[in-house]
Amino acid sequence: MEIDDHLQSNWPIGPAAPQLDEQCVDVWLADIRVSPDELATMRQILSADECDRANRYKRPIDQHKAVVTRATLRSLLSRYLGQSPTSIQFISSDSGKPSVVEHSSGIRFNLSHSGDYCVYAIARDLEVGVDIEQIRPDFDGLPIARRFFAACESDALANASAEDRARLFSQYWTCKEAYVKAIGKGLSYGLADFEVTVGAEPKIFDSTRMEVDGWTLRALEPPTGYVAALVSQTPLKNVRLFSVH
């Protein structure tokens, strides 16, 4: 998997055996466009259940993405856990958030994919949530925002120009989804029950418009045409960005 050359300065090739410090989150960016030979190799990393889930998708492109994203997750986690990708076992919470069985490692992770890319957030003893979205310039998210977002967010979209609205909607969406994934609620948590601000220093506010304690929201810089966000527990000292080679 290769990342575009212009991303190398912001997302350098990651180490083979990363050392994850306390209060640090590693975010990995992977291009999920791989050759048929690479795809076949990746299938061999997956468990039988993972292969079955991938095969349930009707479209070959969706099967492809399911295999690549899961195999890449196993490969990345193996670097931190010091074990083979095939030996890693997963469990899921009641809300569906996955984790590794090896609780003693303290490893926490989250992933998201959209278009040609996938992002992975990995931390130790910190809950994390990450989201990436491909911006669709022809998509008007205002009806969705009016139904599901906080009033101030939908108002901001309504006041945005048509050319800015698609990016702004995607920014709101990634920030909000990263947060509900970090807290382990998923989209069952009401998106209108909290607010986010976007920009250089994004923040999360509760229903009383007080800033939420204990969580840090950070905008990421993925490839052109995408937006991404990371949410992690605080205190947070450092976020390292890597690409998967």
Side-chain angles (χ1 to χ4, degrees):
M1 289 178 280
E2 297 180 354
I3 302 298
D4 295 340
D5 290 342
H6 75 279
L7 289 173
Q8 289 298 334
S9 59
N10 291 328
W11 300 81
I13 298 297
Q19 298 298 311
L20 193 58
D21 297 331
E22 290 185 358
Q23 301 171 7
C24 175
V25 179
D26 288 350
V27 183
W28 296 76
L29 177 68
D31 189 328
I32 60 178
R33 295 167 290 186
V34 302
S35 70
D37 288 343
E38 290 174 299
L39 186 66
T41 299
M42 286 180 162
R43 278 189 175 274
Q44 297 176 11
I45 296 177
L46 302 185
S47 68
D49 287 343
E50 289 169 329
C51 286
D52 288 342
R53 285 197 296 271
N55 291 335
R56 291 190 195 116
Y57 288 102
K58 294 182 178 180
R59 299 194 309 165
I61 184 60
D62 294 327
Q63 295 179 12
H64 175 113
K65 290 180 179 180
V67 170
V68 176
T69 55
R70 194 69 174 190
T72 302
L73 173 64
R74 284 183 170 273
S75 295
L76 288 175
L77 290 176
S78 73
R79 303 186 189 192
Y80 293 89
L81 296 171
Q83 62 188 80
S84 68
T86 56
S87 67
I88 297 172
Q89 299 181 52
F90 298 96
I91 56 174
S92 295
S93 66
D94 293 339
S95 63
K97 186 174 184 179
S99 61
V100 293
V101 171
E102 295 84 352
H103 287 298
S104 61
S105 69
I107 289 293
R108 304 287 187 271
F109 68 89
N110 196 239
L111 67 94
S112 172
H113 64 86
S114 180
D116 295 325
Y117 293 94
C118 188
V119 288
Y120 302 82
I122 301 176
R124 193 181 304 279
D125 298 319
L126 289 176
E127 294 295 343
V128 289
V130 69
D131 193 61
I132 185 171
E133 297 293 335
Q134 186 174 26
I135 300 170
R136 295 162 52 191
D138 59 342
F139 175 71
D140 183 3
L142 185 56
I144 293 176
R146 289 202 183 282
R147 183 177 179 184
F148 296 108
F149 286 8
C152 64
E153 296 163 343
S154 60
D155 288 346
L157 281 166
N159 293 326
S161 65
E163 59 186 8
D164 292 336
R165 187 175 293 168
R167 170 172 286 275
L168 183 57
F169 175 83
S170 296
Q171 288 174 318
Y172 278 134
W173 183 268
T174 54
C175 290
K176 293 173 84 70
E177 183 153 346
Y179 177 59
V180 297
K181 291 168 72 177
I183 64 177
K185 298 291 186 179
L187 292 180
S188 62
Y189 189 77
L191 295 181
D193 293 336
F194 67 99
E195 302 171 7
V196 297
T197 59
V198 299
E201 296 184 1
K203 297 183 183 298
I204 310 168
F205 298 89
D206 63 22
S207 58
T208 67
R209 315 267 332 242
M210 296 291 290
E211 188 172 351
V212 173
D213 289 330
W215 298 94
T216 296
L217 171 60
R218 174 175 174 147
L220 304 174
E221 296 184 9
T224 302
Y226 293 79
V227 294
L230 167 73
V231 172
S232 65
Q233 283 181 300
T234 52
L236 178 63
K237 293 181 179 179
N238 189 29
V239 176
R240 302 186 300 183
L241 305 179
F242 299 122
S243 64
V244 180
H245 60 81

